[in-house]
Amino acid sequence: MRIMSLDVGSQTIGVAVSDPFGWTAQGVETIRHTTREKDFARLRELTSRYSVEEFVLGMPYNMNGTKGVRAERTEEFARELAEAFPDIPYHFWDERLTTVMAQRELIAADVSRKKRKKVIDKMAAVVILQGYLDHLSMQKKGD
């Protein structure tokens, strides 16, 4: 079963998928927002290619745990996603500090500022998904 994570921003959607065993997350691409129809058409291609059975959306909570405007927009996106992909369930995952973590990883890998800007959303989706996969793994160990 493959899981796809989405880091939904105002201009882009970072996309990552799990390996077939659900152990690791790999970055796929960054979708530039044009129209919702085109965004979902591209996601349809990707969900088909990777046989995705679940979505994980990064939920941008404020640092104090409350929801702001970005969280509301993510919830709106999730409702539309559920309509467009009724057979694929979705879950939210706390994405606080994921962009910071992704940025640090890219800096540590000596990726230039220009290249970091192009891949940061995809890397944030990787961080979101890996956190979710690690959580699932810990749950299985507890069972």
Side-chain angles (χ1 to χ4, degrees):
M1 174 173 111
R2 285 196 157 185
I3 301 171
M4 177 177 282
S5 71
L6 304 175
D7 179 38
V8 182
S10 59
Q11 298 176 6
T12 60
I13 304 170
V15 182
V17 296
S18 69
D19 67 284
F21 301 107
W23 295 338
T24 61
Q26 295 89 36
V28 174
E29 70 179 69
T30 300
I31 299 171
R32 285 246 160 243
H33 281 304
T34 50
T35 65
R36 190 68 82 217
E37 292 78 24
K38 288 181 181 178
D39 294 347
F40 288 165
R42 182 61 185 145
L43 286 175
R44 216 168 264 106
E45 292 170 10
L46 294 173
T47 57
S48 178
R49 179 188 307 165
Y50 293 103
S51 303
V52 171
E53 296 181 30
E54 181 180 348
F55 288 116
V56 175
L57 284 80
M59 177 53 76
Y61 292 108
N62 294 323
M63 288 308 290
N64 65 2
T66 62
K67 292 181 184 176
V69 174
R70 284 189 57 229
E72 291 171 1
R73 288 189 184 136
T74 299
E75 289 175 330
E76 178 182 325
F77 179 89
R79 285 189 294 275
E80 293 175 22
L81 184 74
E83 289 177 19
F85 298 86
D87 297 331
I88 303 177
Y90 71 89
H91 309 281
F92 293 114
W93 189 252
D94 188 347
E95 75 164 33
R96 283 179 280 189
L97 300 179
T98 55
T99 301
V100 172
M101 291 167 60
Q103 189 89 326
R104 285 184 183 159
E105 288 178 25
L106 291 169
I107 289 169
D110 203 29
V111 176
S112 72
R113 185 182 305 251
K114 186 176 181 179
K115 288 182 182 175
R116 282 194 312 259
K117 190 172 185 173
K118 291 180 182 178
V119 299
I120 192 68
D121 297 315
K122 176 174 66 173
M123 288 300 298
V126 168
V127 173
I128 290 165
L129 182 54
Q130 193 62 57
Y132 182 73
L133 295 173
D134 292 348
H135 171 76
L136 291 178
S137 175
M138 293 302 288
Q139 278 187 324
K140 287 178 186 173
K141 287 179 183 177
D143 288 343

